[in-house]
Amino acid sequence: GGHLSSSLGVVELTVALHHVFDMPEDDIVWDVSHQCYPHKMLTGRRDRFNKLRQLNGLSGFCKRKESVYDSFGAGHSTTSISAVQGMSIAKSMLNKRRNNCIAVIGDGAITGGMAYEAMNSAGYLKNRMIVILNDNGQVSLPTGTQTAGGVAPASQLSAYTSKLLVSKPFQDFRDFAKSFNKLLPENIQDVNKRVDEYARGIVSGGTLFEELGFYYVGPVDGHDLDNLIPILEKLRDSPSNKPVLLHIKTNKGQGYPPAEKASDKMHGVGKFDLGTGVQVKGKSVAPSLTSIFANSLIDCATEDRNIVGITAAMPGGTGMDIFGRRFPKRTFDVGIAEQHAVTMAAGMACEGLKPFCAIYSTFLQRGYDQVLHDVAIQNL
């Protein structure tokens, strides 16, 4: 059990990273780190997976005290770019021999505001780092829930990166090598400028990231080791201090048909039949608390048109997917942005709506200041 499809989607990426970089001297930070199972297997922990997420067993996430290869602990999202920037600054200030710091962040986690705070800072300070945007089109759990924004992934950035994937063919190493000019010293850039403009075209696909100060590479097929490895090697060996964003496209649940076909891609599972993907669940005649909440809210919303529902990328776990099927225009998925969700709810309440902001308690810690400052103090 555990986080299955997230790990299946990054098998090739994990192999490539460990082939190219030298951990633990080099740092690889997995955002959320629910996709870290291949990483753990490659760093001497494969024989402990029978005790995954059990007492005295392997953690389901990266954990610094568990292994020197776990550069940074996680379990919640959007922290990797900030952590990697700090590591890069420290390596530079301490004159360490190597400064290779890599953040792997998904298109769901990058919807959180902290990612933009970090990119804004890294681009301004020009810290040497590689951010790998793992784009699998799965922002919410499950993606495809009916909301006021439709059924597309709950992120305008996801729509933007999807356009990049559609409008630009996958970049192979030869294409990348031609455009690598931008990471070289300025005098060499001037000599090769005409070649670079020809290679990249007049319009750059990564304008948003480049405006934030990053060198954009991509999109790249995240399952193609023949291209992924030489691109990572080139980035590793570059003398540039400019931060890089490598945009890769992967399939969540890659290689396992039951996961690829499931609406939630078998994101988090218990025991299941390997051949069919059917999960082993105990029989229960009692409805879940989540379904009771959702159906009760539907009953109330049927009588009161001012009731709306808000989720931070977790419609399935909060019951907002059930509410959304009944009231799609009154259901709002804001992505992994708990702070924004709470304050948006406060704004709705100011104008007379009755928002129900459903967030896991473990995730609401990120919106605690907003609950106090923007809701409680104002008696909303």
Side-chain angles (χ1 to χ4, degrees), residues 106-286:
D107 52 340
I110 208 169
T111 61
M114 191 173 172
Y116 298 95
E117 294 173 24
M119 285 191 287
N120 179 54
S121 175
Y124 168 68
L125 294 175
K126 296 179 175 60
N127 300 122
R128 175 183 171 86
M129 55 194 285
I130 300 171
V131 175
I132 299 176
L133 173 56
N134 178 31
D135 193 340
N136 60 26
Q138 295 291 307
V139 174
S140 302
L141 296 175
T143 291
T145 295
Q146 298 180 58
T147 70
V151 295
S155 165
Q156 189 58 29
L157 178 65
S158 181
Y160 171 75
T161 58
S162 294
K163 288 179 182 178
L164 295 184
L165 294 171
V166 171
S167 63
K168 298 180 66 180
F170 280 136
Q171 189 172 31
D172 64 21
F173 177 65
R174 289 174 297 178
D175 296 329
F176 166 72
K178 292 176 183 177
S179 64
F180 187 67
N181 175 50
K182 283 194 175 182
L183 279 181
L184 299 175
E186 290 184 5
N187 59 329
I188 301 178
Q189 286 191 38
D190 292 337
V191 173
N192 293 332
K193 186 176 180 181
R194 290 180 181 271
V195 177
D196 183 56
E197 288 178 349
Y198 173 77
R200 290 178 66 84
I202 297 174
V203 180
S204 169
T207 301
L208 171 63
F209 304 110
E210 290 180 338
E211 289 298 324
L212 286 170
F214 280 71
Y215 174 70
Y216 173 86
V217 180
V220 173
D221 184 347
H223 302 297
D224 183 355
L225 286 172
D226 289 339
N227 277 312
L228 199 53
I229 287 176
I231 288 173
L232 288 171
E233 288 175 335
K234 198 80 171 177
L235 294 175
R236 177 198 63 193
D237 298 336
S238 166
S240 174
N241 286 326
K242 186 173 184 177
V244 174
L245 187 134
L246 172 59
H247 181 192
I248 68 170
K249 177 69 175 77
T250 63
N251 300 314
K252 195 169 183 177
Q254 172 77 3
Y256 185 50
E260 293 177 331
K261 295 175 183 177
S263 62
D264 65 349
K265 303 296 181 181
M266 294 183 70
H267 174 81
V269 297
K271 291 182 179 180
F272 65 96
D273 181 87
L274 188 60
T276 64
V278 175
Q279 296 187 53
V280 180
K281 296 182 179 180
K283 293 183 179 180
S284 175
V285 294

Side-chain angles (χ1 to χ4, degrees), residues 24 29 44 74 87 94 142 147 198-199 221 223 239 247 255 261 277 301 306 339 342 357 364:
V29 177
M87 291 170 180
L94 296 172
T147 70
Y198 173 77
D221 184 347
H223 302 297
H247 181 192
K261 295 175 183 177
N306 290 331
Q339 295 164 302
V342 173
C357 189
L364 187 58

Side-chain angles (χ1 to χ4, degrees), residues 74-90:
H76 62 180
S77 84
T78 324
T79 59
S80 62
I81 304 176
S82 297
V84 160
Q85 184 187 9
M87 291 170 180
S88 176
I89 291 171

